[in-house]
Amino acid sequence: MSDESDNDPILTDEEIEALVEHAEDGGFDDGEFRIHDFGAGESLTLSKWVELEGLHRNHAEALQKAVATAFDIELSVEAQPSTYAVAGDLLTGFPNRLCLVSTRIGPFEDECHLLISGESLTFLVNQYFGGASVTPPKLTTKVTPSEQRLGERVAREFLRTMAEIWVDRLPLQMGDLYVDVTPDRFSLIPSDTGFAVFNFDLVLGDEHNSTIKLLVPFDELERQSEALIPRKKVVPLSSESATWEPQLRATLPDVSVEVCGSIDAIETTIKSLLAMKVGMTIPIEEPDAMSLRLNDRVVARGRYGAYEGLKAMQFTGFKEREA
C-alpha cells in the first residue's frame, strides 16, 4: 500500500451521512444487529418505584404555589416523566448558561444537583423585575449575578417544598448549598455514575417553556427503594374476631378425632394379594416399636408392649415436638 492510499478516507462524507441517518431511523434493527439501551434496566427499576410518580407530581404542584408566592410570578410547573442517565451524558447535554446547585440531601450520602438553565433564569428575572411585557434578552455569557441570586432562591424553595412533599415516604435533611455558574463541580463525577433525573417544566402559555432538572444519584435512591413502593396494608383484627377466637381455642380441644395405631407393615406381590381369601393368616413379627396416626399422619411413636393384660403402646416421642 502506498502512503497516499493510507491517508485516503475509508468512507466519503456522503456515505457517513447516510449511515448516521440510517442509525437515527433505527435501520440497523434487522434481527441480526439491534440497538441496545444500556440504561433500560435502571429505567425499568424507576418505573417499579410507583410512589415516585406521585411524589414528583405533588412536588411540582407545591413548587408552582411557592414560586407564585415568593416571586409573584404566575406560571405552571409541570412534572415530566423521570429518566435515567449517566454523568457523562448529562454533562454533554448541559446548557452553556446554567446555575448548578449542589447539596447533600439526607439520607442520600452523595450530592444531589439542581440544574437551572440560563433560559429559565433570564425569564424569571425579567418577570420578577417587571419586564413581563418585554421579551427576555438572549444572553450568551455566563449567568449574571442577579440570575445567580434568583437561582439560589429558586433552589431553596425547590428543596423546601421537596422536603414537605417527601416527608411521608422518606424524611429528607437538606444540607448547605453550593451554587456555581459552571459545570466544573459536576465534571469531577465519574462519567459512568448513574442519576435519576426529575424534570420540572416551567410553562407560561406560548411565551415560555424551559426545564429545571433534579439529579439524584441512582444508587442512593435504590438504597431507599422500600420507601418508594406501596406499603403493605395490615388488616386489623375485627372486634368480632376478638370475641370468637378465644371461644374457638377453648372448644377445639374437645373436638373428637379418630386415631389408629400401626404395629407393622408387610410387602407382598399383587399376585399374592389377589390370592388372599377369608380365613387366611398372615404371620407378622412382634414389633419393637409402633406409631400413632391421625389421618395417615404420624403424630407419635412408641414401644409395643402390654399393660394390665391388654396390648398397649408406651409413648417415646411426639412428631411435633421432635420438629
Side-chain angles (χ1 to χ4, degrees):
M1 244 183 197
S2 66
D3 292 339
E4 290 182 2
S5 62
D6 286 346
N7 294 327
D8 289 342
I10 297 174
L11 297 175
T12 65
D13 292 341
E14 291 78 8
E15 290 171 331
I16 293 174
E17 258 180 54
L19 284 172
V20 171
E21 289 177 5
H22 192 58
E24 289 175 349
D25 295 337
F28 289 113
D29 193 2
D30 58 0
E32 185 174 356
F33 300 100
R34 297 183 180 180
I35 298 171
H36 181 71
D37 180 5
F38 286 96
E42 289 78 4
S43 298
L44 180 61
T45 301
L46 273 174
S47 67
K48 291 180 180 177
W49 297 335
V50 294
E51 296 298 329
L52 270 182
E53 182 181 352
L55 293 174
H56 191 182
R57 184 176 58 253
N58 294 339
H59 185 192
E61 293 175 0
L63 182 60
Q64 177 175 316
K65 295 176 182 177
V67 169
T69 302
F71 303 103
D72 194 24
I73 300 174
E74 295 294 338
L75 79 164
S76 175
V77 180
E78 301 174 1
Q80 298 301 323
S82 53
T83 58
Y84 172 84
V86 295
D89 292 341
L90 288 168
L91 189 60
T92 302
F94 277 5
N96 293 328
R97 302 183 71 249
L98 56 82
C99 179
L100 187 65
V101 182
S102 304
T103 184
R104 279 190 170 83
I105 301 177
F108 309 135
E109 294 182 5
D110 295 334
E111 281 187 338
C112 299
H113 308 272
L114 187 64
L115 175 64
I116 310 174
S117 67
E119 181 185 4
S120 297
L121 292 171
T122 301
F123 167 75
L124 292 173
V125 167
N126 193 55
Q127 293 282 319
Y128 185 62
F129 288 103
S133 59
V134 180
T135 303
K138 299 292 184 182
L139 303 179
T140 57
T141 58
K142 288 182 180 179
V143 164
T144 66
S146 295
E147 291 173 331
Q148 182 178 345
R149 286 194 296 272
L150 192 137
E152 183 176 348
R153 288 187 61 187
V154 169
R156 293 189 184 281
E157 290 297 326
F158 185 98
L159 296 173
R160 179 183 64 79
T161 51
M162 181 180 178
E164 292 175 356
I165 296 300
W166 283 55
V167 66
D168 289 338
R169 279 285 162 186
L170 189 63
L172 304 177
Q173 299 84 42
M174 302 301 176
D176 296 332
L177 305 185
Y178 182 89
V179 185
D180 197 2
V181 296
T182 70
D184 294 349
R185 189 180 184 89
F186 193 86
S187 65
L188 299 176
I189 300 173
S191 61
D192 60 349
T193 302
F195 284 90
V197 182
F198 299 91
N199 301 290
F200 297 78
D201 283 357
L202 307 183
V203 181
L204 183 62
D206 297 330
E207 297 178 31
H208 180 80
N209 192 325
S210 61
T211 304
I212 293 177
K213 295 180 181 290
L214 172 66
L215 314 178
V216 180
F218 185 84
D219 289 346
E220 297 292 335
L221 198 60
E222 193 169 30
R223 292 189 183 99
Q224 307 299 327
S225 59
E226 287 187 8
L228 307 175
I229 57 179
R231 295 187 179 101
K232 294 180 179 178
K233 293 183 179 180
V234 178
V235 180
L237 291 175
S238 64
S239 57
E240 292 181 359
S241 65
T243 303
W244 59 256
E245 185 176 357
Q247 295 176 355
L248 180 62
R249 289 181 178 275
T251 305
L252 274 176
D254 296 329
V255 175
S256 299
V257 293
E258 183 177 341
V259 294
C260 65
S262 173
I263 60 174
D264 200 2
I266 63 169
E267 290 186 7
T268 187
T269 63
I270 295 178
K271 181 179 179 181
S272 299
L273 184 62
L274 294 174
M276 290 181 183
K277 298 178 182 180
V278 176
M280 288 183 63
T281 302
I282 301 175
I284 60 173
E285 296 182 3
E286 185 173 308
D288 294 328
M290 62 182 297
S291 60
L292 195 67
R293 296 175 177 270
L294 174 63
N295 292 334
D296 291 331
R297 179 184 175 188
V298 176
V299 294
R301 302 185 187 281
R303 286 191 292 269
Y304 179 76
Y307 179 73
E308 295 183 354
L310 299 174
K311 294 181 175 63
M313 168 183 172
Q314 183 182 40
F315 290 111
T316 58
F318 291 87
K319 191 66 176 176
E320 296 297 332
R321 296 175 190 175
E322 290 173 4

